[in-house]
Amino acid sequence: MPKLFAAIVPPSLKAVSETFQFAPAVRIGGQILISGIVGTDAQGLLPPDFRSQAENVFTTLKPFSTRRGRRSMMWRA
């Protein structure tokens, strides 16, 4: 039976993924499903305001949004 999904673990999340035994994203066909991404900054601290937390989430998601050197459709307006 073929594998139905492929785990996606960018180098920046490898240690966390191995420690907590989860894949931050999986590819199923043409979709990427993301899980477990929080709004902490590079030092692991959670900013007090939502805007900063959201910006941190999108910074963390950047490795998921590029494919073969170009941005994926999920970020286009």
Side-chain angles (χ1 to χ4, degrees), residues 23-59:
V26 293
R27 181 184 310 274
I28 301 173
Q31 297 181 342
I32 296 176
L33 306 175
I34 299 169
S35 174
I37 305 299
V38 295
T40 56
D41 61 19
Q43 290 75 38
L45 302 174
L46 188 64
D49 62 295
F50 178 76
R51 181 183 180 99
S52 296
Q53 292 175 26
E55 288 171 353
N56 290 341
V57 168
F58 283 104
T59 297

Side-chain angles (χ1 to χ4, degrees), residues 1-27:
M1 177 177 217
K3 192 171 183 180
L4 300 176
F5 67 91
I8 302 171
V9 183
S12 62
L13 296 174
K14 186 175 181 182
V16 173
S17 176
E18 290 175 357
T19 299
F20 296 105
Q21 296 295 302
F22 83 101
V26 293
R27 181 184 310 274

